Amino acid sequence: MNFSVKAEAVRFDSHNMWLELIDGRILGVSLAWFPRLLHADK
């Protein structure tokens, strides 16, 4: 099974990165997995 999904938009809140995919799904990923983003200046 080989497929790819593209992001339409990306947004952040204080704890998560949110990816809106072109197929309508929205994925939330904890910024704890990305310490560099978690501690970045706003």
Side-chain angles (χ1 to χ4, degrees):
M1 184 177 207
N2 188 7
F3 63 92
S4 63
V5 178
K6 295 183 180 181
E8 187 171 81
V10 178
R11 61 185 173 85
F12 296 86
D13 62 28
S14 58
H15 300 287
N16 297 294
M17 174 174 54
W18 297 95
L19 302 164
E20 296 181 28
L21 306 179
I22 60 171
D23 64 4
R25 292 180 288 170
I26 299 175
L27 304 175
V29 181
S30 174
L31 289 178
W33 291 6
F34 305 95
R36 193 170 190 176
L37 289 175
L38 180 63
H39 301 294
D41 290 336
K42 295 181 181 179

